[in-house]
Structure formats: C-alpha cells, structure tokens
Amino acid sequence: MKLILASIIIAAVQAANPFLGKSKNNAKSAFASNLVAGARRLNDADEEYEINISGYSVKFEKCQFVKSYDDELAEEEDSETVLATKRFVIFKLCPDDSCSSCNYNYGEYMIDLETYLQTTVEYMQELQEEMCNQCDENCAQDEDEEEDNDDNRRRLEVDCDSCQEECYKIENMEDNGYIDATEYLECAQIVEGNDDNEGYFAGPMCASSGTKIKIGVFEDEDCNILDNSKNIDDYLYNDDGYQVKLSHALLKTVYADTCISCLVVEEEDENDNDDGNNNDEDEEEEEPEVNEMCQELYEAAAKCEKSHGFDDGYEGNNDYDNQIMQEEVVCDFISSIEGGTYDDNGEISLYGSNTSSYGGASTTGGQKFALTFFILGSVALAAYSAMLHGKLTKGGKAGLTSQGGAMA
C-alpha cells in the first residue's frame, strides 16, 4: 500500500515540477526544466515592455532541498546515489505599504538558492559598506568638529551608538576569531580527503524547516550529501592553526523576516537646499528606479503572479506566452513545496510536512487525523464483525433446533 501511495505522489510531483533534473528519456522533464531558463529572457522578449516593481519589496519565504534523478550521477560508477540535490528559494514581491501581511497584489517566485544568495548577499553587503562609510563620516568626529559642523553636515539615518559597534565587529571579525558565513556560498572543501573518503565540504543548506539558511557540512564535492551530525565550526581554522567560528550576521539579512525594498534611494545632494525650489519640477518628472537586486531576482525566477492579484507582472506581455501558459504549473509546484511535499533533506514526504529534531519525528495534524480515522474505522469494523458473528451463531442454533424437532 505504501509503495503504491509513494508511486502516485512521485508521479504527481514529477508532473507538476518544472525544476527536476533533465533526463534523456523524459521529454516532459526536459520541457519543464526550460521554464526557469526561459524566465531569464524577459528583457529580450519585448524591450519596450517594462515591469515597474519599484513599489515592492523582496520578502523571503522558504528554502527547500529537492532530490531528483540525475543522468550524470547515474553514469558515474563510483557514485553512491543517482539523486542530485536541487536547492530552491521561494520569495515574494510584496507592496511596500503592506509587506508585513502581504496577502494580496503580490507575486510569488522560485529561484535556485545559489542565484538568490549571490544576488541578495552582494546587495546587502553593499548596504553594509555604505552604512559603515556613513557611520565613519557622521559619527567618528572629534567633539569640537561635531559642534562646529552639526548644523552644516548632511543628516543621515544612522544610529551612531549601534553602527559604530557593528562596524567595529565587521572590521575586526578575523581578529576576533570569526569568518563570514558568506565565504561558503559555493561548495568548498574544508577537510582534505584520504583513501577512505573525499573529505568534508561546506556549503549553504536549508535549516529549521526551510525558515533559515545556514552553512552545513557535506560529504561530497557537489554538496549533495548533507551530514547533519557535524558542525562546521569544528572544522574551521585560520592560517595560524587556531580554530575559528562562522559569523552569520550578513547571511541572516537575506532570510530574516524583513522586507528589502526594490526602490533605488537617491543620495541627497548637499546643494539641494540651495536649489530646492528649482529642482521641485525635475523631481516630479523623475520615475522611480528599481535596484539591480530586484531586477536580477525577478528576471531569473519562475513566477506565480496572476493567482495572487499581482498587477505589475508580465501577464499583459504577448511576447512572453511561455510564462503565462506555464504559470499554473509553477504555482502548483510552489504550493507543493510550501505544503511540505519534501522534508529538510529533500526527500519526498508521503504525509506532508514533517519535522525532525535530534533524530525524533513529530507527528503532524494530518498524520494524527489519519491515525484517528483508521483506529476508529478498525474499532467500527471489529464491532460490526462481532455483531455479524453473533447473528450467525444464533441463526445456526435456531436451525439445528428446528431440524431436531422435525426429526423427533
């Protein structure tokens, strides 16, 4: 029964999954795998058709591993598995004025983890550097200079007490025994191998049921085989041989429950106050600009927009029919990921969302309902069987009595 149920679920997931690894014998998988690649050609489809997402913010939703068949692994004689681990991130584009709730007029998207991390980390790193530069410029002044320049300097949204402490930690990270976790956004070897194994490798992983992104320890150079029993901090050393730890401060900014605005905020010009009246008309004519991070994420991601009432997407672009035609497939797959089709390791979960902690599994609401249903059903069947048995027994005795009376 379990094998039949598993086969049905696997078939359903494969039919709705546009991201499964391409198989030479599977034309449907080959077609579906081109959906994400097709999403990258948005600008080429219609140069005059522009998407204005300047009023939206990026909001991280979930990180998910998905294991699927891989031709290259199947052809390798030394490979221990034919399943490659695909890594995805689901994020939303939410209106700035309702980003915290984000329940209508939003788009939902799926993108590979590597692209998401490279794009968002680079942008947040730039903001971090800009913040520290502003902190140095506005806060690290002598008291006399601060009093003299207080009225003339450009005021920026910088909290001097917090920014100085944060920037000091960033600048002295290595001296304090830390390495930035973003150094391992790509799979990298941390322990040399020997005749028995390949060694150990570090790379990004989905943690806490997909709500976080951390750096894990893997047993292969492609970071397909995750070893949950190992902590990366136990294998990190600096050039002097001293053990160091990872700092997740920067990495947290790309998956924390915050909204990253897509609007480019222009820096204030020191001469704005002098020419304020002359520039009012020019500022009204300037159109809002979308930052590169949002542009790259939007262009690279598979999209689910129409069902969420997203008004500013590509639905009206006749030259991008492929995205419109396949949007339902994309939405179904995103929904299956959010619904717990896969567990933390990327394996198919037959009973929906399932979380493990320290080797123990917790029962979900669906599992509890199924167990209760089968238990009550078993009890009812047992009672019904007992009733039938009683009737048959009584009927048999009555028949024998009547036969005995006739014979007498």
Side-chain angles (χ1 to χ4, degrees):
M1 179 64 182
K2 290 184 177 179
L3 292 176
I4 296 174
L5 181 59
S7 300
I8 294 173
I9 293 178
I10 291 172
V13 172
Q14 287 178 337
N17 186 345
F19 307 102
L20 287 177
K22 183 168 65 174
S23 172
K24 295 178 181 177
N25 300 320
N26 192 336
K28 290 183 178 180
S29 295
F31 171 75
S33 64
N34 290 326
L35 288 178
V36 176
R40 298 177 184 273
R41 297 192 293 270
L42 294 179
N43 288 338
D44 297 335
D46 189 348
E47 294 181 357
E48 297 181 357
Y49 194 94
E50 296 182 358
I51 301 297
N52 183 13
I53 54 175
S54 59
Y56 292 82
S57 295
V58 172
K59 187 175 184 180
F60 172 86
E61 285 294 305
K62 187 176 184 179
C63 172
Q64 181 66 60
F65 281 7
V66 175
K67 288 186 177 180
S68 62
Y69 177 82
D70 186 88
D71 282 332
E72 295 182 0
L73 289 178
E75 293 173 358
E76 293 181 7
E77 295 181 357
D78 299 332
S79 178
E80 298 180 359
T81 178
V82 296
L83 299 178
T85 302
K86 311 298 181 182
R87 303 164 176 84
F88 299 107
V89 165
I90 299 174
F91 69 93
K92 291 181 179 180
L93 282 179
C94 305
D96 288 336
D97 56 358
S98 60
C99 189
S100 57
S101 58
C102 197
N103 52 19
Y104 188 72
N105 189 22
Y106 68 90
E108 198 166 24
Y109 309 87
M110 176 170 280
I111 192 171
D112 61 282
L113 177 60
E114 182 179 355
T115 301
Y116 178 82
L117 287 178
Q118 288 179 348
T119 305
T120 54
V121 168
E122 181 180 358
Y123 178 74
M124 297 306 294
Q125 196 167 24
E126 291 176 358
L127 292 184
Q128 188 181 75
E129 293 175 358
E130 182 181 352
M131 182 269 294
C132 288
N133 290 336
Q134 293 176 354
C135 187
D136 290 340
E137 179 182 348
N138 292 274
C139 303
Q141 301 184 27
D142 294 334
E143 293 183 359
D144 294 339
E145 293 180 354
E146 185 174 349
E147 293 177 359
D148 295 338
N149 299 329
D150 186 57
D151 296 333
N152 299 325
R153 71 184 184 192
R154 180 162 53 100
R155 294 185 178 275
L156 300 173
E157 296 181 0
V158 176
D159 184 344
C160 290
D161 292 334
S162 61
C163 78
Q164 286 180 323
E165 181 180 359
E166 182 178 352
C167 294
Y168 176 82
K169 290 180 179 179
I170 295 172
E171 185 177 355
N172 297 276
M173 184 180 298
E174 294 183 5
D175 294 337
N176 293 329
Y178 286 91
I179 298 178
D180 200 310
T182 58
E183 296 290 332
Y184 296 98
L185 296 185
E186 297 181 1
C187 195
Q189 191 165 30
I190 54 176
V191 176
E192 295 291 335
N194 51 41
D195 295 337
D196 298 329
N197 56 59
E198 298 183 46
Y200 294 118
F201 300 81
M205 58 171 283
C206 304
S208 301
S209 300
T211 59
K212 297 180 180 180
I213 301 174
K214 294 186 176 181
I215 305 300
V217 178
F218 296 81
E219 298 178 358
D220 64 303
E221 62 181 358
D222 297 318
C223 287
N224 282 326
I225 307 174
L226 175 66
D227 191 339
N228 282 313
S229 66
K230 292 181 172 57
N231 188 335
I232 187 174
D233 288 341
D234 296 334
Y235 301 93
L236 298 180
Y237 296 87
N238 60 19
D239 295 336
D240 297 326
Y242 292 101
Q243 192 169 11
V244 294
K245 295 182 178 182
L246 284 185
S247 169
H248 292 85
L250 179 58
L251 185 59
K252 284 181 180 179
T253 61
V254 305
Y255 67 78
D257 188 21
T258 56
C259 299
I260 307 175
S261 176
C262 290
L263 179 65
V264 173
V265 179
E266 299 293 342
E267 294 186 3
E268 297 179 8
D269 191 343
E270 295 181 357
N271 297 323
D272 280 352
N273 292 334
D274 298 335
D275 303 332
N277 295 332
N278 297 330
N279 292 336
D280 286 345
E281 296 181 0
D282 295 337
E283 290 180 359
E284 291 178 359
E285 296 177 358
E286 291 182 2
E287 294 184 0
E289 186 178 353
V290 180
N291 62 48
E292 292 184 5
M293 178 201 68
C294 290
Q295 288 179 342
E296 293 178 7
L297 289 179
Y298 187 83
E299 292 172 6
K303 303 166 184 61
C304 178
E305 299 178 335
K306 185 167 59 176
S307 60
H308 303 305
F310 190 68
D311 296 332
D312 299 302
Y314 262 85
E315 183 181 354
N317 185 2
N318 295 328
D319 292 329
Y320 198 58
D321 293 336
N322 183 53
Q323 166 63 37
I324 299 172
M325 291 171 58
Q326 302 303 323
E327 184 168 357
E328 185 176 350
V329 176
V330 175
C331 293
D332 288 343
F333 183 57
I334 291 177
S335 178
S336 73
I337 293 294
E338 293 178 326
T341 301
Y342 298 91
D343 61 18
D344 286 348
N345 294 322
E347 304 282 356
I348 291 178
S349 176
L350 297 182
Y351 300 103
S353 179
N354 183 38
T355 58
S356 298
S357 177
Y358 303 104
S362 60
T363 306
T364 64
Q367 291 173 333
K368 292 178 180 178
F369 174 79
L371 288 172
T372 303
F373 176 80
F374 284 120
I375 290 172
L376 293 177
S378 299
V379 172
L381 287 173
Y384 182 66
S385 299
M387 181 184 67
L388 288 178
H389 178 72
K391 287 185 177 181
L392 290 173
T393 302
K394 291 179 180 179
K397 290 181 179 179
L400 289 173
T401 302
S402 62
Q403 288 179 6
M407 291 176 65

